[in-house]
Structure formats: C-alpha cells, structure tokens
Amino acid sequence: MRCQACNKLLTDFESTRKSTTCDDYLDLCNDCYSTIRTEVKAMERPDLMSIDDVIDLVDFDDNVC
C-alpha cells in the first residue's frame, strides 16, 4: 500500500489509520497525515507501530509551536 499523496510505501501502522468520521482508510504516510492531523481525526493501531513510526510522530510534534 502506498501513500495517496506522495506515493511512499506505508508501514502497517500507517496503512491501518482510519477516519473517525467516515470509517474509511486514509492511506497517508505520517508526514502527509501530519499536515491534516488537526482537521481529520483518525483511529490508529498503536500495537502496529514500529520505531520508524514513532520517530516520524516525534519529529512532527517537535515542530508544533
């Protein structure tokens, strides 16, 4: 499965992220999802997180003002 925005290969964690509004899979990598994170709430599977997912999410949180 690939990111619908940038075509990057998705991890298991990224590929199972679903919208809480419409119950559809978002199919976005962590980088692309971070740009819409405040507008689009999602259900995530933390049990599928790898170290790469954690690093991506920490990098995003560090950039928040």
Side-chain angles (χ1 to χ4, degrees), residues 39-60:
E39 291 91 28
V40 179
K41 300 301 178 192
M43 296 179 283
E44 296 177 330
R45 297 266 320 266
D47 59 311
L48 295 176
M49 261 187 179
S50 70
I51 189 67
D52 294 329
D53 294 312
V54 173
I55 290 170
D56 284 348
L57 294 175
V58 169
D59 287 345
F60 169 71

Side-chain angles (χ1 to χ4, degrees), residues 30 34-35 37-38 55-64:
N30 289 331
S34 69
T35 64
R37 183 182 194 141
T38 57
I55 290 170
D56 284 348
L57 294 175
V58 169
D59 287 345
F60 169 71
D61 289 339
D62 287 345
N63 294 326
V64 175

